Amino acid sequence: MLLQIPDVLTPEETAECRRRLEAATWIDGNATAGHQSRLAKRNMQLAEDDPAAVEMGGLIASALAAHPLFVSAALPFKIFPPLFNKYEGGQNFGTHVDNAIRRSRVTGDQIRTDLSATLFFSDPDEYDGGELVVEDTYGVQRVKLRKGSMILYPASSLHHVTPVTRGARIASFFWIQSMVRDDGCRTLLFDMDTAIQRLAAADPLDASVVQLTGVYHNLLRRWAEV
Ligand code: NI
């Protein structure tokens, strides 16, 4: 499943992060690249332990934990401390799959990357190119969102970022270990939760709502690893 999560941060939080990102110290993006992606990656990043990155990453993680759509879709168990990147002057990231396991240099914690996320800090009209292209099971998806919004997609997908030929594309990127490892099972739970919420809004006392909520939790109990 490939899902847009709108308004992860408020416009004020987004503007404040953007101000800090413009003043930040950028280093070669290959600092965090895996063996294969090192050959494909041409961008800049904030150091993982840069205090600004750690602080903004904390803000993003807190906002996500309180975002109902994100929680329903990702069923997060662990969120990798968000990283930050910038593409400009023709920079791009060729086709790759993200590493399955990542260890944070800041926390030392290790996670399995079930989902990949990109949270945009530049609006689409600020740059040309810079599309995130994801090869989903439903075909090729091209993604470019307004700032403050995020795309969530299976970390197992092949993906790339097209060259930025004008302006700069600034974003945060990170991974989520889900309580439900399998994308198909997670998608079923998300669809079911969405339908239950809709039914409950119409009639919260409906016996079917109670029964379906029970089925949801019993499937989650069957599939979740925590
Ligand atoms: Ni990637």
Side-chain angles (χ1 to χ4, degrees):
M1 173 182 41
L2 185 115
L3 184 72
Q4 290 186 24
I5 314 274
D7 306 318
V8 169
L9 298 179
T10 65
E12 294 74 26
E13 289 168 334
T14 303
E16 172 61 14
C17 287
R18 175 63 184 262
R19 192 189 60 73
R20 296 187 72 171
L21 288 163
E22 280 173 10
T25 305
W26 295 93
I27 61 170
D28 187 334
N30 276 327
T32 59
H35 183 69
Q36 183 264 328
S37 60
R38 188 160 299 164
L39 304 171
K41 188 174 183 185
R42 280 174 289 277
N43 66 5
M44 289 162 291
Q45 282 180 206
L46 298 194
E48 274 192 61
D49 58 357
D50 184 314
V54 173
E55 211 169 296
M56 289 187 289
L59 174 74
I60 293 166
S62 305
L64 287 172
H67 198 299
L69 180 61
F70 170 77
V71 172
S72 177
L75 295 168
F77 177 47
K78 294 181 189 177
I79 298 179
F80 191 90
L83 303 172
F84 297 84
N85 62 14
K86 176 160 84 164
Y87 296 80
E88 62 187 1
Q91 289 179 321
N92 71 315
F93 199 158
T95 303
H96 66 282
V97 168
D98 294 342
N99 285 2
I101 307 291
R102 297 207 75 116
R103 181 186 295 278
S104 165
R105 290 181 196 179
V106 177
T107 63
D109 197 17
Q110 188 163 263
I111 77 162
R112 184 188 65 231
T113 60
D114 296 322
L115 290 154
S116 295
T118 298
L119 170 59
F120 289 79
F121 281 104
S122 300
D123 274 326
D125 62 2
E126 292 184 78
Y127 58 97
D128 290 335
E131 290 175 305
L132 171 66
V133 182
V134 181
E135 295 181 25
D136 189 46
T137 43
Y138 296 107
V140 174
Q141 314 280 329
R142 308 180 81 88
V143 181
K144 205 167 163 174
L145 303 180
R146 63 187 169 80
K147 60 188 174 196
S149 294
M150 188 175 98
I151 190 79
L152 194 62
Y153 60 99
S156 53
S157 313
L158 278 170
H159 57 278
H160 67 274
V161 176
T162 63
V164 172
T165 54
R166 176 188 64 89
R169 174 199 195 266
I170 301 176
S172 174
F173 66 103
F174 51 95
W175 301 273
I176 297 104
Q177 179 170 334
S178 177
M179 292 187 284
V180 176
R181 174 197 294 235
D182 182 79
D183 184 62
C185 294
R186 203 184 316 113
T187 302
L188 283 174
L189 287 170
F190 176 59
D191 287 346
M192 189 169 197
D193 189 32
T194 305
I196 291 169
Q197 299 296 332
R198 197 180 303 129
L199 286 174
D203 181 4
L205 298 176
D206 187 335
S208 299
V209 170
V210 176
Q211 189 172 13
L212 286 168
T213 302
V215 173
Y216 174 87
H217 282 284
N218 289 331
L219 285 173
L220 183 59
R221 204 184 322 278
R222 185 171 281 242
W223 291 334
E225 309 156 71
V226 293

